[in-house]
Amino acid sequence: MWQWLYKLGSPKWFYTIGNRVLPWLWGVTGLLLVVGIIWGLGFSPPDYQMGDNYRIIYLHVPAAGLMKGSFYMMALCSAALLIWKIKMADIVAKAVAPIGAMATLLMLVSGSLWGIPTWGTWWIWDARLTSSLLQFFIFVGIIALRSAIESRDSAAKACAVLTLVGLVNIPIIEYSVEWWNTLHQGASDLSLRDSSANPPEIWIPAFFTGFGFIGLFFIGLILRSQNEILLRERRSQWVKDLLLTDNAKADTESGINTNA
Amino acid sequence: MPEFQFNSLAELLNMGGYAQYVWPVYVFFLLFCLFTVVPPAYSRRKIVKQIKARLRREENQ
Amino acid sequence: MLEVHGLYCERDERILFKDLSFSIAPGKALQIQGSNGSGKTTLLRILCGLNSDFSGEILWQEKPVKQVRSEFCSDVFYLGHAPAINRTLSPRENLRWFSASQGKTGNIDISTALDELGLAGYDDVPCFMMSAGQQRRVSLARMKLTSARLWVMDEPFTALDKRGVSEVEQLLSDFVNAGGSLILTTHHPLQIACDIDVINLDSRVQESAP
Amino acid sequence: MNTDMNKASSELGLLSVMGATVRREMLLAFRNPGDVINPLMFFVIAVTLFPLSVGTDENFLSAIAPGVIWVTALLAVMLSMDSLFRADFEDGNLEQLLMSPQPLYFLLLAKIFSHWLVACLPIILLAPVLASMLFMSPEGMLPLVLSLLLGTPVLTLLGGIGMALTVGLSRSGLLLAVLILPLYVPVLVFGTGVVQAAINGTAFSGLLALLAALFALAVSLSPLAISAALKISIN
């Protein structure tokens, strides 16, 4: 197994594997998302309390999962870069940051839009929303640091250090926000999770959209990483061969250009 | 297979009175999908063009 | 004392040096020559461990530098481009921290060191009132305070007048002949009385990154 | 030279170098008093802005007093971070610090402790005066000082990480805020919690313990991040 993982460390291999996986990923993700959304919007029974407004959770919960998952993946890549000096880890971390930030934004938007009918205002200082807002600021901080440092290698290592510092601080932030929330407002009874009184099958669409989100995440990750690989390896022979063969045939729809 | 919850398209659009909260979220989700896919595809085309231009310059030097 | 094997360093798509190997023994001097931007300073910083963007092996007393970092640092004296002098402090205050890190806490050493660098009486004058040449002498005064056996110097003669250059050259040759080893870069023609090996970074590598 | 003499001298060496570092920083602070006065003045001016803007109604001001004091103290500490590494980076002393044989971990602790003495201690001493200006009730005074005493070192250590990451950049004042402020949230939450609890008469020792825990975590972990970040910025 290690041999396969080791190979992923080489940009050329990552690029070719990416190209091979992408068509499948497109198909599966599209299918999952379409089924999940249609089922969630049209077919699952309305919530006994909130009526159809609860259909927002089919996007809210996967977005929250993606927010967490993308940060842990960035932390993993940062550790790999600092400890084992894997150049590929920085390429992936750089690709994940914007997607994670946008997922957090989606989580915040869906959370506050869900809140309008239930809480009466579009923003309340609910514990989960507030810690997600802080997580969004941390994402923005990492992206800002990467764009502020010119030299690419020190930017990579600096962002890796900041990500790991963020990783240590996030549980502390969540704990302090949780404690602070109980102090000021008491646990909000209508939190997003306790729709337990509903029949279990309302969770089936969330299953589909959840994996659809993960598929979408990896599509974005592979595309962005491939761009970064092309930029960094533009002088290497395999990129020249790859692009010369492209001249020979019409450039296929971007993103699925068949490899050499 | 669970049956369809809404009897007409208008009812679906109205989303039980919560239309102005549910649909914007799904629109934002569409933006999220476009954001994950479109910018990299666009910059891919720009990068490929750049590299090819440089290759051509080096070839006829 | 210090051995370097297969050193490779690339900066902004340009190879500075490739499989560079050399070693420096006690009583030897090594001058790094090269045009501006040929990576002289980068090479010195790599040797001192300040720069880690390289591949290759650096051994100190036959052991990799990373494992023997504190012995290596206590035996190396690095003088960079910047004089490492705080302008609001006086020479004595500037050198006191450095002499403490070398295990010497006495004040007398600092004043004798300053006298030998021609800064007698300037011990307590704030450095911003001194000329660039005098500030460089304060920085060079650390040569007298350090017990390091390997000196790595980046353009030690900048901003020094003719008399200053000859004084420092004399100090360097005394140090090398007394068994120390010296690595330096300079644009002045070097006249120190000991055998000097030369590495010219320009003649080594021309083509850009693979 | 036998090794145990070497070991003894290296222990002595570490303590003497830490002492020399602290003395040097104190001297530096004495020589350019801006590093002491500016954060303090910012703290005072920022606090006076609040009554001017929200009005001088006594109960309202005393209600928001802990939050106002803590937020302005936090911002003052963050703004004072600039004097930590920047001067040494520019004149080359930072390289000498990294090249010194003593472990960087303790040298950084000495440096940050002296920065805390210079920049944060005056703020802590002045906080009760400003709190009483905001009509904060007297039983909140001691907990305010205690929470600041435990909180500001954590702010300085976290700010040190941000400063080490951005020391190589030319104008990075605002970037430091974007990087570090989210990490300041737990200290702010527990710090104001202590004062609020004291004012409401409930027990606040548990929250002080939490602040102390944050302090212990910061003292032990952040020098590692700072030395890693410095080695990257020096590159």
Side-chain angles (χ1 to χ4, degrees):
Chain A
M1 206 287 273
W2 287 115
Q3 218 273 339
W4 178 80
L5 201 64
Y6 176 75
K7 271 194 175 161
L8 259 190
S10 97
K12 176 177 186 312
W13 189 261
F14 185 99
Y15 190 93
T16 39
I17 286 186
N19 270 342
R20 212 171 298 139
V21 163
L22 261 179
W24 292 101
L25 217 49
W26 279 100
V28 167
T29 310
L31 193 69
L32 280 173
L33 284 180
V34 163
V35 165
I37 287 176
I38 292 173
W39 189 326
L41 271 181
F43 288 87
S44 79
D47 181 78
Y48 72 99
Q49 264 179 334
M50 291 170 279
D52 291 309
N53 186 36
Y54 88 97
R55 295 181 196 282
I56 290 180
I57 58 164
Y58 295 129
L59 292 183
H60 181 75
V61 172
L66 199 58
M67 168 184 81
K68 279 266 166 263
S70 54
F71 193 85
Y72 292 143
M73 186 163 192
M74 264 172 67
L76 207 66
C77 293
S78 309
L81 176 73
L82 287 178
I83 299 166
W84 296 294
K85 308 263 185 301
I86 304 172
K87 283 275 180 285
M88 201 51 219
D90 168 48
I91 295 176
V92 170
K94 184 174 180 184
V96 166
I99 304 174
M102 278 309 282
T104 316
L105 213 55
L106 175 63
M107 189 264 189
L108 288 170
V109 164
S110 52
S112 53
L113 277 174
W114 180 84
I116 296 177
T118 30
W119 302 320
T121 66
W122 68 277
W123 179 264
I124 68 152
W125 294 92
D126 160 71
R128 262 163 49 86
L129 279 183
T130 318
S131 50
S132 314
L133 187 65
L134 292 171
Q135 171 114 30
F136 179 68
F137 294 152
I138 292 176
F139 268 119
V140 167
I142 292 170
I143 295 171
L145 181 63
R146 186 179 290 279
S147 59
I149 301 178
E150 296 83 20
S151 108
R152 194 182 56 208
D153 294 335
S154 39
K157 285 185 260 184
C159 289
V161 168
L162 186 62
T163 311
L164 292 179
V165 167
L167 180 72
V168 172
N169 277 287
I170 279 177
I172 303 171
I173 290 175
E174 270 163 14
Y175 173 74
S176 61
V177 167
E178 200 76 28
W179 174 84
W180 160 82
N181 191 22
T182 52
L183 183 76
H184 283 283
Q185 196 216 359
S188 70
D189 47 8
L190 274 178
S191 85
L192 287 164
R193 278 185 301 279
D194 68 348
S195 47
S196 51
N198 285 336
E201 75 262 15
I202 66 157
W203 287 113
I204 298 169
F207 174 82
F208 284 99
T209 48
F211 280 100
F213 260 67
I214 294 172
L216 191 64
F217 169 75
F218 277 107
I219 288 177
L221 182 133
I222 290 173
L223 287 177
R224 281 183 162 80
S225 305
Q226 286 182 334
N227 286 352
E228 189 64 25
I229 290 171
L230 282 182
L231 268 176
R232 293 191 185 194
E233 304 276 330
R234 61 182 179 278
R235 292 178 189 283
S236 61
Q237 197 47 39
W238 70 273
V239 168
K240 288 177 183 161
D241 304 341
L242 182 75
L243 293 183
L244 291 183
T245 51
D246 267 7
N247 286 350
K249 31 188 202 305
D251 192 2
T252 54
E253 193 265 325
S254 74
I256 322 181
N257 49 2
T258 54
N259 54 350
Chain B
M1 245 300 273
E3 74 292 343
F4 194 60
Q5 292 302 321
F6 303 93
N7 355 35
S8 75
L9 184 64
E11 215 175 284
L12 173 74
L13 282 183
N14 181 12
M15 194 51 76
Y18 294 107
Q20 73 263 32
Y21 312 124
V22 176
W23 292 114
V25 172
Y26 279 81
V27 165
F28 196 87
F29 169 67
L30 196 64
L31 289 179
F32 173 73
C33 297
L34 295 180
F35 171 79
T36 10
V37 175
V38 169
Y42 173 72
S43 57
R44 166 72 58 87
R45 192 170 295 123
K46 199 153 55 76
I47 293 170
V48 166
K49 213 183 303 124
Q50 248 173 13
I51 299 177
K52 281 185 188 166
R54 208 175 50 72
L55 284 180
R56 233 173 278 114
R57 269 204 309 276
E58 272 166 14
E59 262 153 33
N60 45 37
Q61 237 151 23
Chain C
M1 192 119 77
L2 181 81
E3 292 149 49
V4 173
H5 303 298
L7 204 62
Y8 169 87
C9 177
E10 178 191 323
R11 190 171 48 185
D12 333 322
E13 306 294 324
R14 207 163 50 80
I15 296 189
L16 297 180
F17 33 80
K18 191 160 63 147
D19 47 56
L20 174 66
S21 299
F22 60 89
S23 70
I24 178 107
K28 274 274 191 304
L30 173 65
Q31 184 182 3
I32 315 276
Q33 286 174 345
S35 56
N36 291 349
S38 59
K40 303 197 294 295
T41 306
T42 315
L43 176 58
L44 292 187
R45 289 168 69 91
I46 286 175
L47 295 179
C48 293
L50 287 172
N51 185 336
S52 51
D53 277 350
F54 68 93
S55 60
E57 214 191 3
I58 301 180
L59 303 178
W60 171 256
Q61 322 283 23
E62 290 87 32
K63 287 192 288 299
V65 173
K66 283 198 174 47
Q67 288 160 13
V68 283
R69 188 193 166 282
S70 65
E71 286 103 26
F72 175 70
C73 284
S74 54
D75 250 340
V76 169
F77 164 53
Y78 171 68
L79 184 81
H81 267 302
I85 295 299
N86 190 302
R87 298 165 59 82
T88 54
L89 295 180
S90 74
R92 182 196 308 280
E93 286 148 357
N94 263 308
L95 295 178
R96 184 177 299 147
W97 181 80
F98 180 78
S99 68
S101 75
Q102 302 294 317
K104 295 189 178 62
T105 45
N107 266 343
I108 19 96
D109 287 345
I110 296 179
S111 37
T112 47
L114 288 170
D115 300 349
E116 270 166 39
L117 263 296
L119 289 170
Y122 279 89
D123 296 16
D124 294 309
V125 169
C127 287
F128 62 82
M129 295 158 80
M130 297 160 76
S131 73
Q134 284 168 324
Q135 283 181 20
R136 173 60 71 175
R137 285 168 181 267
V138 173
S139 175
L140 285 166
R142 284 182 287 158
M143 287 195 289
K144 284 287 158 200
L145 295 167
T146 177
S147 55
R149 286 177 290 163
L150 166 65
W151 288 1
V152 180
M153 295 189 148
D154 199 348
E155 318 262 353
F157 306 113
T158 48
L160 286 182
D161 49 33
K162 194 144 295 321
R163 199 166 55 78
V165 170
S166 56
E167 272 168 20
V168 172
E169 275 174 347
Q170 183 52 41
L171 283 171
L172 292 182
S173 46
D174 299 347
F175 168 72
V176 174
N177 295 335
S181 45
L182 169 70
I183 303 177
L184 79 161
T185 65
T186 180
H187 288 300
H188 296 257
L190 200 57
Q191 289 111 12
I192 44 180
C194 59
D195 44 13
I196 310 167
D197 314 337
V198 174
I199 293 183
N200 192 319
L201 289 182
D202 286 341
S203 60
R204 284 184 52 76
V205 166
Q206 263 66 39
E207 87 282 9
S208 67
Chain D
M1 212 168 52
N2 45 36
T3 50
D4 51 357
M5 203 273 282
N6 196 327
K7 187 140 274 322
S9 76
S10 81
E11 253 86 40
L12 170 71
L14 179 60
L15 286 181
S16 73
V17 175
M18 285 173 80
T21 313
V22 173
R23 203 174 327 125
R24 177 174 180 272
E25 293 295 322
M26 290 301 126
L27 210 56
L28 265 176
F30 186 72
R31 279 289 155 68
N32 26 36
D35 299 341
V36 181
I37 304 297
N38 294 343
L40 206 56
M41 283 320 296
F42 169 84
F43 180 50
V44 172
I45 297 170
V47 169
T48 50
L49 294 182
F50 281 87
L52 295 168
S53 52
V54 299
T56 58
D57 160 38
E58 213 172 293
N59 349 4
F60 179 70
L61 273 185
S62 71
I64 64 168
V68 163
I69 297 289
W70 251 100
V71 167
T72 43
L74 179 141
L75 292 178
V77 168
M78 192 199 70
L79 290 173
S80 73
M81 283 303 32
D82 217 43
S83 66
L84 186 59
F85 293 127
R86 187 166 303 287
D88 289 339
F89 177 80
E90 267 141 23
D91 58 33
N93 270 310
L94 206 53
E95 285 166 354
Q96 292 303 329
L97 188 74
L98 292 177
M99 281 296 292
S100 85
Q102 282 78 10
L104 189 55
Y105 184 93
F106 298 104
L107 294 183
L108 288 177
L109 277 183
K111 210 165 167 50
I112 287 174
F113 169 69
S114 37
H115 180 271
W116 179 78
L117 275 182
V118 160
C120 302
L121 209 51
I123 290 176
I124 297 171
L125 299 179
L126 203 61
V129 173
L130 292 172
S132 58
M133 272 166 62
L134 295 177
F135 313 111
M136 193 169 88
S137 47
E139 68 270 5
M141 290 302 173
L142 180 62
L144 176 67
V145 171
L146 284 178
S147 63
L148 281 171
L149 268 176
L150 277 176
T152 41
V154 183
L155 301 179
T156 318
L157 285 159
L158 287 175
I161 297 176
M163 207 51 229
L165 284 169
T166 59
V167 74
L169 309 175
S170 49
R171 17 142 201 77
S172 67
L174 271 183
L175 180 62
L176 180 71
V178 172
L179 299 186
I180 288 305
L181 278 181
L183 308 183
Y184 276 180
V185 162
V187 180
L188 182 67
V189 163
F190 292 130
T192 37
V194 164
V195 188
Q196 213 70 21
I199 291 173
N200 307 347
T202 53
F204 57 86
S205 53
L207 291 169
L208 271 184
L210 275 175
L211 266 180
L214 282 183
F215 172 56
L217 193 70
V219 167
S220 49
L221 289 187
S222 50
L224 300 176
I226 294 174
S227 55
L230 280 182
K231 290 194 175 89
I232 293 166
S233 309
I234 282 284
N235 237 0

